[in-house]
Amino acid sequence: MRWAPGSFLWLVRHDLRLAWRGVAGLVGSMRPATVAALVVVGLATMHVLAWPLVEILDPYLHARGASIASLAAILGATFTWMLAQGIFGLTRALYHRADLDLLLGSPLSATRVIAAKVVSIAAGSFGSIAILALPVAHMGALFDGPHWLGIYVLLVAFALLSTAIGLALVVGLFFAVGPRRARLMAHLLAAGTAGAFVLGTQVVAMLPAAWRDSITDQIDASFLEQATGLAAILWIPVIVAQGNIVASTILLMLAGLGFSLAMVGAAGRFAAASLASAGSDADAAPSGRTRFRSFRSGLGTCLRAKEWRLLLRDPSFFAQLALQVVYTIPIAVVLIRSETLSLALSIGPTIVMIAAQVSGSIAWITVSGEDAPELLASAPVTRGAVDLAKLTAVAGPVLMLLAVPVIGLGLVSSPLAAFIVFLIAAMAATSTALLNFWHPMPGNRRGMLRRHSQSKMIGMIEHGLAMLWAFAVVFALMGTSVVLAPLGLVLVILSLVRRVGHRRSDPAADVRVPGQPLTEAA
């Protein structure tokens, strides 16, 4: 189907095509046939794995004596995740703009351009959950009944509502606090929204059994009462999940109305905010009295100051790291609830894995995301000195991240256990940092979440190292000599990776000649 150039659907197709190219970029240089085969195998596997979930969720959807609190929690987590994705997408569109400057400078209606952009962002939010939820809907509809297809209605409605709310929040923040602060607050708000519900459910899971039962009973009673007004509206998604056609129609109507109101009220303001952000440097220092600091000599001091200052100026980096930390915490919660494990054995592996992940991310930014490689290549310094300075720059934020949980563990558990966890966490952080130093993958520092698209093997090795260090801290806390096994595997992996490392000793090798492929530059 062909749409008239400049029409709303034509613009939507354009934005969706750009989004698809971004997703396709995650597979690197794989052949289309290979990608298609992997997609088919992946979808088939997900549909097979979805069948047990159908069995688990079936009592809640049919209301056969099962508590409704769990279903409400799943729907709440889904909506908050999609809201966070919408805020992230709208913030990227507002500040990174990409083709937005060209479109807003064309004779097209600014409202139409923004509306198409927002629709594509809503489609992205839908896709982020649909890839996991729709296999469940398909298997449920196939073996249990068509009411499972209500998941489609839920996801479409959630995508529209979450994007509409995200649009109002982003535009409101921009004009309330200004371009620079709005960008920081929007990223933190998105990360907090995505993690708040997950952390909240984990806090509830850690409560005494009597308290949890009381909360569950109150939620069930509220659902059975079916109160009028706002309370009834909040329960509509649960009723839709149970296959009620009337509730599905009402939810879609409310979602469409909310999305339309957001378009009418905020699309024009979003266009004005985009034009305003184009004329301001969101990363620049805040206006006001300028504070000058004396220039300090020394390669290490200057490079550390430069890297830390760039990290502080990048709110999206902290938001992405926060998501990594938040979605690792439930592992510790599950272990803490075990009555057979000590506190150190419960949270030690989580601390180690977080340290490894954060260190790998920061190391990639300082090495592969370097914005001035030509400047470093032309400076009268050795590559080893630069790497050492950047490695110490990575260590600073990681040590700050480890300080609070390790000190808390020492006070609650034992100083020896805290020291063991800190030592292994520091070694884990060092190993993932060295991996990124030895195998740099040049890219934009804003693409941290896609940093393994060029080399899936490096990504697998990084995750494997984090897992091995987690096993090592468990064995070390247990005081068994089995700890030598994961430590030995780590040393073997690092030695092999270092031996086959493709990084050149010449500093100029890290400088990419314009037009040269990234793989050749590395």
Side-chain angles (χ1 to χ4, degrees):
M1 181 180 296
R2 300 179 63 87
W3 291 291
S7 64
F8 174 75
L9 293 178
W10 183 84
L11 289 171
V12 171
R13 186 184 66 171
H14 165 72
D15 288 323
L16 291 177
R17 182 181 297 172
L18 294 180
W20 172 251
R21 288 176 181 175
V23 175
L26 296 175
V27 299
S29 57
M30 289 186 181
R31 297 171 54 188
T34 304
V35 175
L38 291 176
V39 169
V40 171
V41 173
L43 290 177
T45 303
M46 293 178 67
H47 279 76
V48 172
L49 296 177
W51 173 243
L53 292 177
V54 173
E55 295 288 339
I56 295 173
L57 294 176
D58 181 71
Y60 303 109
L61 268 63
H62 287 89
R64 290 197 291 261
S67 170
I68 210 68
S70 298
L71 179 59
I74 294 173
L75 296 179
T78 301
F79 182 79
T80 53
W81 170 263
M82 297 176 79
L83 177 59
Q85 294 302 305
I87 295 175
F88 275 128
L90 290 164
T91 305
R92 284 193 298 268
L94 181 62
Y95 287 97
H96 299 168
R97 290 185 298 278
D99 62 337
L100 200 55
D101 289 335
L102 179 63
L103 291 173
L104 291 177
S106 68
L108 298 176
S109 169
T111 303
R112 187 191 309 169
V113 170
I114 299 302
K117 185 73 66 176
V118 175
V119 167
S120 68
I121 292 173
S125 299
F126 173 87
S128 65
I129 293 293
I131 191 173
L132 300 175
L134 293 188
V136 179
H138 299 157
M139 298 301 290
L142 181 62
F143 293 102
D144 191 27
H147 62 277
W148 281 90
L149 297 179
I151 294 178
Y152 273 90
V153 177
L154 280 173
L155 295 186
V156 171
F158 281 1
L160 294 176
L161 287 173
S162 61
T163 307
I165 295 173
L167 178 62
L169 290 174
V170 171
V171 172
L173 283 174
F174 186 92
F175 289 103
V177 301
R180 182 176 182 273
R181 292 185 179 89
R183 183 183 181 187
L184 173 61
M185 294 178 65
H187 279 98
L188 295 180
L189 176 63
T193 301
F197 200 93
V198 175
L199 293 180
T201 55
Q202 300 307 317
V203 170
V204 172
M206 295 176 63
L207 295 175
W211 293 19
R212 295 199 305 270
D213 293 340
S214 176
I215 294 174
T216 300
D217 292 340
Q218 292 180 11
I219 294 176
D220 293 343
S222 175
F223 176 74
L224 294 175
E225 290 174 1
Q226 292 293 301
T228 58
L230 181 61
I233 295 177
L234 294 177
W235 282 115
I236 288 179
V238 175
I239 303 174
V240 172
Q242 294 179 336
N244 190 295
I245 298 178
V246 176
S248 299
T249 305
I250 294 175
L251 183 60
L252 282 178
M253 291 176 60
L254 290 175
L257 178 62
F259 190 80
S260 300
L261 291 176
M263 288 296 97
V264 173
R269 301 290 288 171
F270 188 89
S274 178
L275 294 175
S277 65
S280 63
D281 186 0
D283 292 332
S287 59
R289 185 177 179 181
T290 304
R291 297 177 59 186
F292 295 96
R293 297 181 181 179
S294 58
F295 185 82
R296 297 180 181 180
S297 61
L299 175 65
T301 302
C302 292
L303 278 179
R304 282 190 294 270
K306 187 264 291 187
E307 297 296 343
W308 292 340
R309 182 168 299 180
L310 290 178
L311 290 179
L312 292 174
R313 290 178 178 177
D314 189 359
S316 61
F317 166 76
F318 290 101
Q320 293 170 3
L321 281 189
L323 286 177
Q324 291 183 8
V325 173
V326 165
Y327 286 103
T328 309
I329 291 178
I331 300 176
V333 175
V334 173
L335 296 177
I336 289 174
R337 294 182 61 187
S338 174
E339 299 179 355
T340 60
L341 297 178
S342 64
L343 180 62
L345 284 174
S346 299
I347 67 174
T350 304
I351 295 175
V352 169
M353 293 190 67
I354 289 176
Q357 292 175 1
V358 171
S359 177
S361 298
I362 300 178
W364 180 85
I365 284 181
T366 59
V367 178
S368 299
E370 174 61 61
D371 292 327
E374 295 88 352
L375 180 62
L376 292 179
S378 61
V381 294
T382 63
R383 170 56 56 185
V386 172
D387 285 349
L388 180 60
K390 290 197 171 192
L391 189 60
T392 56
V394 174
V398 176
L399 291 177
M400 292 179 61
L401 181 66
L402 292 176
V404 175
V406 169
I407 292 175
L409 181 61
L411 295 175
V412 177
S413 180
S414 70
L416 178 60
F419 175 76
I420 292 175
V421 172
F422 173 78
L423 180 62
I424 295 183
M427 291 190 293
T430 303
S431 66
T432 54
L434 289 176
L435 177 66
N436 284 274
F437 273 70
W438 293 337
H439 286 264
M441 294 172 288
N444 190 297
R445 62 189 299 120
R446 291 190 176 94
M448 186 183 71
L449 293 180
R450 300 173 54 191
R451 57 195 175 95
H452 291 144
S453 60
Q454 295 182 38
S455 176
K456 305 297 185 298
M457 182 60 66
I458 296 300
M460 294 176 59
I461 293 175
E462 183 175 315
H463 294 307
L465 289 174
M467 292 295 297
L468 287 174
W469 285 115
F471 284 118
V473 74
V474 171
F475 295 139
L477 291 171
M478 294 173 60
T480 174
S481 59
V482 182
V483 68
L484 298 177
L487 291 179
L489 286 175
V490 168
L491 291 177
V492 170
I493 292 174
L494 289 178
S495 62
L496 291 176
V497 170
R498 183 68 181 96
R499 184 173 301 176
V500 301
H502 59 275
R503 193 177 189 189
R504 305 174 186 176
S505 59
D506 183 8
D510 290 330
V511 181
R512 183 167 65 94
V513 178
Q516 181 185 7
L518 292 176
T519 54
E520 295 180 6

